[in-house]
């Protein structure tokens, strides 16, 4: 009888409980986190390690971004295509079943916990869109849900499933204590629910610049739309500067010559003199230490082999180009 399942693992309490409950019943469970350019595995990896789970991380950035451009069921909060996202992840998990020698999929979804995306109609829509819904078990609520193949075939005993529903957390907290689970926080980490991030991504979409390479830059710094073709990203702190550098974007990099300060990145390598001066003046604006005028070094491949002298950009002009701070 099939005894191995893939679990969609977010790092939130419910996904941990779903894994522990099925393990408690004797099933072998492989937790999988599906990462994208705006969905990061760091928290899930930490939670898995704290609770003795080996987490498989798969990057589906390209597929997720393609889905995000035209979600069949639209967006929830900001740019989060909740139903389409869950459907895609179940679809991807189903493709992994032969590779991992698993037979069905489990999720930590709880009926009614999120009224818009975890009501019965939404769960049915997720299952239908994925094409693999008949292989899905939701252990925390399965007693309240229609039977799927693992139950019909006798792989999973429905009487051993749970009947948790609604937004209360008391039963989950009791189970967490029973299993000795050390992490009790909700899941998180999807930037598509963040208002400022969504503004940046919408800007890329409006300008048909939502390539994966451009999307990866959105998590770092302040963002400015200088022309229809050109953006400027300015680091807010040392971590942002390092993050911008880490993306290895093929643009024009700028920094203040004589003092430590923000790193700027133009998304083209050969801007006009007007755009270059504007970008340099904005970078200079964000240094309290630098005088005005001052020299800004710039170059491709982070070589900073040229320089330009500019005044700090007036704040009212700067604000007119700002997408988000």
């Amino acid at each position: 009888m099939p005894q191995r399942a893939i679990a969609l693992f977010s790092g939130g309490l419910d996904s941990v409980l779903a894994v522990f409950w099925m393990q408690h019943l004797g099933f072998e469970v492989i937790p999988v986190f599906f990462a994208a350019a705006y969905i990061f595995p760091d928290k899930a990896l930490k939670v898995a390690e704290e609770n003795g789970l080996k987490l498989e991380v798969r990057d589906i950035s390209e597929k997720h971004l393609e889905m995000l451009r035209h979600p069949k069921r639209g967006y929830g909060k900001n740019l989060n295509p909740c139903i389409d996202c869950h459907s895609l992840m179940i679809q991807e998990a189903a493709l992994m079943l032969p590779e991992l020698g698993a037979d069905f999929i489990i999720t930590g979804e709880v009926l009614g916990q999120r009224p818009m995306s975890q009501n019965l109609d939404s769960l049915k829509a997720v299952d239908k869109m994925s094409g693999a819904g008949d292989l899905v078990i939701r252990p925390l609520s399965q007693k309240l849900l229609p039977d799927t193949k693992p139950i019909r075939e006798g792989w999973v005993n429905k009487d051993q499933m749970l009947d948790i529903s609604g937004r209360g957390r008391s039963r989950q907290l009791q189970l967490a204590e029973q299993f000795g689970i050390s992490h009790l926080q909700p899941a998180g980490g999807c930037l598509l629910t963040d208002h400022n991030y969504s503004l940046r991504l919408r800007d890329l979409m409006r300008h048909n610049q939502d390539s994966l390479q451009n999307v990866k830059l959105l998590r770092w710094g302040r963002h400015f739309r200088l022309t229809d073709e050109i953006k400027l990203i300015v680091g807010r702190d040392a971590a942002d500067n390092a993050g911008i550098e880490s993306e290895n974007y093929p643009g024009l990099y700028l920094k203040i010559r004589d003092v430590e300060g923000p790193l700027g990145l133009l998304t083209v390598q050969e801007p006009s003199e007007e755009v270059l001066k504007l970008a340099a003046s904005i970078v200079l604006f964000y240094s309290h230490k630098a005088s005005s005028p001052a020299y800004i070094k710039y170059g491709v491949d982070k070589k900073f082999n040229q320089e330009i002298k500019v005044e700090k950009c007036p704040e009212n002009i700067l604000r007119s180009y700002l997408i988000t701070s």
Side-chain angles (χ1 to χ4, degrees):
M1 181 179 295
Q3 291 287 301
R4 179 179 285 186
I6 290 174
L8 301 190
F9 191 87
S10 67
L13 175 58
D14 292 340
S15 68
V16 181
L17 283 174
V19 173
F20 270 64
W21 186 257
M22 296 302 283
Q23 287 179 333
H24 159 73
L25 296 176
F27 292 91
E28 182 181 354
V29 181
I30 306 166
V32 177
F33 183 96
F34 290 109
Y38 28 70
I39 305 172
F40 309 111
D42 310 59
K43 177 181 175 181
L45 284 165
K46 185 174 185 293
V47 171
E49 182 180 6
E50 288 174 349
N51 291 284
L53 301 174
K54 183 179 179 181
L55 182 61
E56 180 92 15
V57 176
R58 294 292 176 97
D59 191 292
I60 57 169
S61 292
E62 291 282 8
K63 289 183 179 181
H64 204 282
L65 186 55
E66 181 59 32
M67 173 274 295
L68 182 64
R69 293 181 181 115
H70 305 287
K72 294 178 182 177
R73 296 296 292 258
Y75 303 107
K77 183 179 180 183
N78 295 307
L79 270 179
N80 185 19
C82 225
I83 293 175
D84 292 73
C85 177
H86 290 174
S87 173
L88 175 61
M89 290 182 178
I90 288 173
Q91 189 176 69
E92 289 298 304
L95 293 174
M96 294 173 63
L97 290 171
E99 173 194 345
L100 299 181
D103 302 279
F104 62 99
I105 300 159
I106 68 170
T107 83
E109 291 163 305
V110 170
L111 183 65
Q113 185 177 97
R114 296 177 182 172
M116 294 299 291
S117 62
Q118 291 185 17
N119 60 59
L120 185 57
D121 287 343
S122 293
L123 295 179
K124 286 180 177 179
V126 166
D127 289 346
K128 183 176 180 179
M129 287 174 62
S130 72
D134 200 37
L135 292 174
V136 176
I137 291 288
R138 298 175 171 93
L140 303 187
S141 294
Q142 192 62 46
K143 273 189 177 179
L144 306 173
L145 298 172
D147 294 350
T148 53
K149 183 176 180 178
I151 288 176
R152 294 196 309 271
E153 296 292 329
W155 306 347
V156 174
N157 184 344
K158 189 169 185 175
D159 291 337
Q160 294 178 326
M161 297 294 96
L162 300 171
D163 59 357
I164 301 173
S165 66
R167 305 187 75 172
R169 307 285 286 170
S170 58
R171 289 185 65 187
Q172 287 97 313
L173 294 175
Q174 290 172 2
L175 284 171
E177 184 176 356
Q178 174 185 328
F179 286 124
I181 294 171
S182 65
H183 181 84
L184 305 178
Q185 299 302 313
C190 177
L191 288 176
L192 296 176
T193 62
D194 180 83
H195 177 67
N196 282 335
Y197 186 91
S198 296
L199 288 176
R200 299 175 191 177
L201 185 49
R202 285 185 192 278
D203 170 79
L204 286 183
M205 290 177 168
R206 280 196 302 271
H207 290 87
N208 295 315
Q209 294 174 344
D210 52 339
S211 66
L212 181 57
Q213 188 176 49
N214 284 331
V215 170
K216 285 182 176 180
L217 283 176
L218 295 184
R219 65 186 296 198
W220 309 113
R222 303 175 178 90
H223 287 246
F224 301 83
R225 171 63 61 182
L226 303 189
T227 73
D228 285 342
E229 295 78 29
I230 303 172
K231 280 185 61 181
L232 170 70
I233 297 92
V234 180
R236 290 165 297 198
D237 50 32
D240 263 352
N241 288 351
I244 292 168
E245 281 194 296
S246 72
E247 300 297 344
N248 293 313
Y249 192 94
L252 189 77
Y253 292 78
L254 307 94
K255 68 179 181 180
I256 302 167
R257 187 186 72 178
D258 298 316
V259 298
E260 290 294 322
L263 178 68
L265 169 62
L266 276 171
T267 56
V268 295
Q269 294 189 348
E270 298 182 1
S272 67
E273 183 177 357
E274 180 184 5
V275 168
L276 175 61
K277 285 182 176 179
L278 175 59
S281 71
I282 291 173
V283 170
L284 185 60
F285 173 89
Y286 285 103
S287 173
H288 298 299
K289 297 178 180 178
S291 59
S292 180
Y295 284 97
I296 302 294
K297 299 166 65 177
Y298 65 94
V300 298
D301 298 327
K302 305 168 207 170
K303 290 180 180 177
F304 303 104
N305 51 8
Q306 301 180 73
E307 59 184 44
I308 184 173
K309 190 176 184 180
V310 294
E311 299 271 358
K312 289 186 178 181
C313 186
E315 186 169 1
N316 64 318
I317 294 177
L318 177 148
R319 294 286 172 190
S320 70
Y321 295 102
L322 183 64
I323 301 170
T324 66
S325 56

